[in-house]
Amino acid sequence: MNTLVLRDASACDAATICRIYNPYILESCISFEEIPVDAAIISRRIQDCQDAGLPWLVAELDGEVLGYAYASRWRARSAYRHAVEGSVYLAPAAQGRKLGSLLYQALIQRLREGGLHTLIGGIALPNAASEGLHRSLGFRKVARFEQVGWKFGRWLDVAYWQLQLTPLDEDERELAANVQASDTLTCNGR
């Protein structure tokens, strides 16, 4: 049959999302969480995300949830209100089937429709598959922080990738070019 449905997540999806996500916590450095989550925690996260006006999507193939994607606020300070961080997680059976790309594309579309400006992807390194996914969707690698996470007895680096969701106007393009040229920006002389 192979019917794919991308839809908003609900509390009813929380247990399945735990089954997808907990192996990333317990067996990989992809997530920096170290303690498995339960359905109540995931249900609360879904609700908090949606209450903030942000999407949390699931991908269902023939009625089975095989992956999810969501956006969360990049930082708490008000000037960051137009920037979000995206996350995508897949069940092992869904990996290598372009489902992550479809989920991320749907998330990007919803964020654009919501008027958000910047989407950021944080990637624990090494992770060639995630870097390839971000590159294929038009993200640019903008930073690498060294040894910012400690998991499984080792230090981990994180790369940050960025996608502009809305086009820059003429003044913003000129400012961005000047910032890149000088690599220095002051704000009101501070």
Side-chain angles (χ1 to χ4, degrees):
M1 187 174 189
N2 291 335
T3 302
L4 177 66
V5 174
L6 301 178
R7 61 171 175 78
D8 289 319
S10 74
C12 296
D13 298 309
T16 302
I17 289 171
C18 287
R19 285 192 295 276
I20 293 169
Y21 183 52
N22 281 332
Y24 287 96
I25 295 172
L26 295 170
E27 302 165 12
S28 80
C29 294
I30 291 172
S31 169
F32 276 20
E33 289 197 72
E34 297 177 289
I35 299 170
V37 295
D38 62 23
I41 291 170
I42 292 297
S43 183
R44 198 167 34 258
R45 289 180 186 180
I46 292 168
Q47 191 62 54
D48 289 348
C49 179
Q50 293 171 342
D51 286 350
L54 297 171
W56 187 310
L57 307 174
V58 295
E60 247 182 24
L61 185 62
D62 296 331
E64 181 183 1
V65 173
L66 292 177
Y68 65 97
Y70 66 93
S72 55
R73 294 286 173 206
W74 170 239
R75 294 285 184 258
R77 304 285 191 267
S78 64
Y80 290 115
R81 67 189 169 277
H82 301 288
V84 293
E85 183 172 6
S87 296
V88 177
Y89 290 93
L90 299 176
Q95 294 173 4
R97 298 169 67 182
K98 305 291 183 194
L99 192 56
S101 182
L102 291 171
L103 267 167
Y104 224 154
Q105 289 173 41
L107 182 70
I108 289 166
Q109 182 60 37
R110 292 279 294 276
L111 295 170
R112 284 184 169 135
E113 290 168 359
L116 288 149
H117 182 68
T118 300
L119 176 58
I120 298 161
I123 303 171
L125 300 175
N127 189 334
S130 187
E131 289 190 299
L133 172 63
H134 285 81
R135 187 178 299 107
S136 75
L137 294 172
F139 284 75
R140 291 180 314 109
K141 186 176 182 179
V142 295
R144 179 183 179 132
F145 297 135
E146 297 177 345
Q147 300 181 10
V148 294
W150 176 263
K151 190 171 180 182
F152 300 138
R154 65 184 173 125
W155 288 109
L156 299 165
D157 296 354
V158 175
Y160 283 95
W161 292 66
Q162 182 176 5
L163 178 68
Q164 294 307 127
L165 298 169
T166 57
L168 299 175
D169 66 26
E170 187 65 36
D171 291 337
E172 290 169 324
R173 275 194 298 279
E174 185 177 324
L175 177 62
N178 290 338
V179 169
Q180 286 178 337
S182 69
D183 204 33
T184 302
L185 175 65
T186 59
C187 185
N188 296 330
R190 294 180 202 162

